[in-house]
Amino acid sequence: MAHDTVKRGGGDAAASTPRGPSLRAVPFLKLGESEPIELLSNAQQQQLAQHAFVRVFPARTIVYRAGAPADSVFIISDGVVKSFRDLPSGRRRIAAFFFARDLFGLAKAGRYVNTVQTLTPVRAYRLDVIALTELFRSDPGLELPFLCKTMHVLREAQHHNIIVGRRDAIGRLAMLLRLLQTQFEATNGNADVPTPMTKSDMANYLGLSLEAVVRASRGLQRQGIVQFLGRHHARIIDQGRFEALASNV
Amino acid sequence: MAHDTVKRGGGDAAASTPRGPSLRAVPFLKLGESEPIELLSNAQQQQLAQHAFVRVFPARTIVYRAGAPADSVFIISDGVVKSFRDLPSGRRRIAAFFFARDLFGLAKAGRYVNTVQTLTPVRAYRLDVIALTELFRSDPGLELPFLCKTMHVLREAQHHNIIVGRRDAIGRLAMLLRLLQTQFEATNGNADVPTPMTKSDMANYLGLSLEAVVRASRGLQRQGIVQFLGRHHARIIDQGRFEALASNV
DNA sequence: CGTACAGTTGATGATCATCAATCCCTGTGG
DNA sequence: CCACAGGGATTGATGATCATCAACTGTACG
């Protein structure tokens, strides 16, 4: 984390990504907009891009560690990361997975609260917090999207709570798979779900042991609901029973 | 929710509360400020008070229901509420308890996501969301405290995740009690902890059955760590072992 | 004073964690 | 091209913990 890729996010970077940083969420007002939408206007994206540094991380890279000084927030342009904390007992608790158009960098008293590590190669915009708060001051309309996105993350944390609250391993796994299905449904067919994380990561997210995740996977497969093709790919066979499982909290 | 107490929050309400709405949280920047502080300046409190309605609820009152149009956010001046959701299975999941100086009213697409009900008599400021966003536009400095508080709630949701992730009932209960201890340590002695909610509420927050909460309470009492005096009052006997239990995630 | 709700206790079974052994896959270097 | 190492994944056996069911007691409040 010593140095940045010395490349500004705007202008000439247009070849790889036509737009600047992008934030997606369900807005909290706007009745009827129940699908996630783009929160930043083109002008806002360009403005942010002028203050952002583009960073590219290989897979399995630590972006920052819990407890380190929190000088930046990140907006993912492409790729997947996990945000986790190691507990005194030695257990690891994954608080969230973040995908393209997500914002991460949660801080408390100037320090990051979780460690963030990439699961896949990641391209992200790095925004200096000081510069960002100054931008907020100069452009009042810019802060609302960030508030909106933070509320979105909060809702997802509450949903995560509900997942972990279930007692059956199969149901929890189904809910994670549905989360991934929703996340990737734009890019792929509805039935094919990428699972970028390891089973151990799944276990740490679901509050289960690795073995329980394996057994739940076999259970889903044996019942003909989901098929696991390779390490990072699942296919929903019976969407009806799958939904039933994932909804039956 | 048809009518408000027709009383503005500012000016003549000074007798009961000298200041206007108050928001407390650990700021995300400001290194070293690891204790919660007041986020709103006096001027901001007064400005908000001029746009706020004071509402007083008896205990066990529904403030709003999940799915209802979300036209307001609330800042608690005094009292305790629970924010929960009833799941299809009939289970109830309490997402959070909110106390004085807390903000609640999380919405998604113009509708509340949780139901909020008072546990004690509550005095709160009601802020119209539309008016609030307009205030944000006119006064750029006002939005940051709300973003900061939302991040605070997000961190607490993650902490809640960690609590529910534990498998032992006693440890979870200890963590809830420590949360209450922290919340009320300013008002009371450190050892005496008010528990405004029922044991059933505790169970719904901790992801346990009511019976498990009862047994965990007895366990804590039998081991001489906590004493339960009456329905809504606990006393920490052995702070050392209590901390050890609550920290040993 | 009675009713409804909150809390208590015990018995039973289901589910998951844990431990241990093994397999498999991927990337690496000879 | 093949052998090897290391982490991820799999499988089985065992025990601990909690949910559930059921019956009962206590308590707040009209």
Side-chain angles (χ1 to χ4, degrees):
Chain A
M1 249 160 301
H3 278 299
D4 268 302
T5 311
V6 194
K7 187 166 100 179
R8 292 284 179 173
D12 48 20
S16 52
T17 49
R19 295 182 300 272
S22 167
L23 283 182
R24 205 173 60 126
V26 181
F28 55 89
L29 20 87
K30 292 210 184 173
L31 227 146
E33 278 290 358
S34 62
E35 287 305 304
I37 58 171
E38 176 60 46
L39 300 174
L40 296 169
S41 69
N42 277 347
Q44 286 172 332
Q45 289 187 22
Q46 282 176 23
Q47 189 185 17
L48 281 174
Q50 283 170 8
H51 294 266
F53 290 90
V54 174
R55 295 208 57 178
V56 176
F57 304 93
R60 269 160 279 128
T61 312
I62 301 276
V63 178
Y64 55 73
R65 285 182 195 281
D71 33 37
S72 309
V73 299
F74 297 84
I75 295 177
I76 300 181
S77 168
D78 201 47
V80 185
V81 306
K82 61 180 173 185
S83 172
F84 63 90
R85 209 181 310 188
D86 287 319
L87 302 172
S89 61
R91 279 199 171 74
R92 173 169 292 182
R93 196 99 190 95
I94 293 184
F97 298 107
F98 292 115
F99 307 88
R101 304 176 142 196
D102 276 346
L103 170 76
F104 69 88
L106 183 68
K108 174 182 180 179
R111 300 190 173 278
Y112 292 117
V113 296
N114 295 318
T115 300
V116 167
Q117 185 173 17
T118 61
L119 296 177
T120 66
V122 166
R123 181 179 184 276
Y125 295 91
R126 187 179 75 77
L127 290 159
D128 186 82
V129 243
I130 308 292
L132 186 61
T133 48
E134 277 167 13
L135 268 183
F136 287 164
R137 218 177 303 275
S138 67
D139 180 355
L142 189 62
E143 195 168 359
L144 200 59
F146 282 81
L147 178 56
C148 190
K149 183 68 183 182
T150 305
M151 287 171 61
H152 184 84
V153 176
L154 173 55
R155 286 194 302 266
E156 295 204 327
Q158 289 187 1
H159 187 249
H160 186 192
N161 262 323
I162 291 174
I163 293 180
V164 177
R166 295 189 67 153
R167 31 205 110 280
D168 57 326
I170 286 193
R172 292 196 225 184
L173 178 58
M175 290 184 81
L176 170 57
L177 289 176
R178 193 177 52 169
L179 196 140
L180 293 168
Q181 187 185 30
T182 307
Q183 184 60 233
F184 289 112
E185 70 187 351
T187 50
N188 303 352
N190 231 7
D192 281 16
V193 179
T195 54
M197 67 289 295
T198 65
K199 286 217 162 55
S200 176
D201 287 332
M202 293 183 189
N204 290 333
Y205 179 81
L206 297 172
L208 293 171
S209 66
L210 167 61
E211 296 92 325
V213 172
V214 171
R215 284 171 183 128
S217 303
R218 269 212 338 182
L220 284 175
Q221 182 140 343
R222 191 178 40 74
Q223 295 178 48
I225 299 176
V226 179
Q227 204 172 0
F228 291 89
L229 316 155
R231 200 167 274 188
H232 297 304
H233 184 197
R235 175 171 294 158
I236 313 300
I237 304 295
D238 190 334
Q239 181 71 31
R241 281 197 293 161
F242 176 67
E243 275 296 327
L245 251 183
S247 305
N248 183 29
V249 191
Chain B
M1 248 163 303
H3 277 298
D4 267 300
T5 312
V6 193
K7 188 167 100 179
R8 292 282 179 172
D12 48 21
S16 53
T17 49
R19 294 183 300 272
S22 168
L23 282 183
R24 205 173 60 124
V26 180
F28 53 91
L29 19 87
K30 292 208 183 172
L31 227 145
E33 279 289 359
S34 61
E35 286 305 303
I37 59 171
E38 176 61 45
L39 300 174
L40 296 170
S41 69
N42 277 347
Q44 287 172 331
Q45 288 187 23
Q46 283 176 24
Q47 188 185 17
L48 282 175
Q50 284 170 8
H51 294 266
F53 290 91
V54 173
R55 296 210 54 177
V56 176
F57 304 93
R60 271 160 275 127
T61 313
I62 301 275
V63 178
Y64 56 73
R65 285 183 194 280
D71 34 37
S72 309
V73 299
F74 298 84
I75 294 177
I76 300 181
S77 168
D78 203 47
V80 185
V81 306
K82 61 180 173 185
S83 172
F84 63 91
R85 208 181 310 187
D86 286 319
L87 302 172
S89 61
R91 278 198 172 76
R92 173 170 292 184
R93 196 102 192 94
I94 293 185
F97 298 108
F98 292 115
F99 307 87
R101 305 177 143 197
D102 277 345
L103 170 75
F104 68 89
L106 184 68
K108 174 182 179 178
R111 299 188 174 279
Y112 292 117
V113 296
N114 295 317
T115 300
V116 166
Q117 185 174 15
T118 61
L119 295 177
T120 66
V122 165
R123 181 177 183 277
Y125 296 92
R126 188 179 74 79
L127 290 160
D128 186 84
V129 244
I130 307 292
L132 187 61
T133 48
E134 275 167 14
L135 268 183
F136 287 162
R137 218 177 302 276
S138 66
D139 180 355
L142 190 61
E143 195 168 357
L144 200 58
F146 282 80
L147 177 56
C148 191
K149 185 68 182 180
T150 304
M151 287 172 62
H152 185 84
V153 176
L154 173 56
R155 286 194 302 267
E156 295 203 326
Q158 289 188 2
H159 187 250
H160 186 192
N161 261 323
I162 290 173
I163 294 179
V164 177
R166 294 188 69 154
R167 28 211 102 276
D168 56 328
I170 288 193
R172 292 195 225 185
L173 178 59
M175 290 185 82
L176 172 57
L177 289 175
R178 194 178 51 168
L179 196 139
L180 293 168
Q181 188 185 30
T182 307
Q183 185 61 233
F184 290 113
E185 70 185 355
T187 50
N188 303 351
N190 231 7
D192 280 17
V193 179
T195 54
M197 66 290 294
T198 66
K199 286 216 164 52
S200 176
D201 287 334
M202 292 184 189
N204 290 334
Y205 179 80
L206 297 172
L208 294 170
S209 66
L210 166 61
E211 297 92 324
V213 172
V214 171
R215 284 170 184 130
S217 302
R218 270 209 341 179
L220 284 174
Q221 182 139 341
R222 191 178 41 75
Q223 295 178 47
I225 301 176
V226 179
Q227 206 172 359
F228 291 88
L229 317 156
R231 201 166 274 189
H232 296 305
H233 184 196
R235 177 172 292 159
I236 312 300
I237 305 296
D238 188 335
Q239 181 72 31
R241 282 196 292 160
F242 177 67
E243 276 294 329
L245 251 185
S247 306
N248 184 28
V249 193

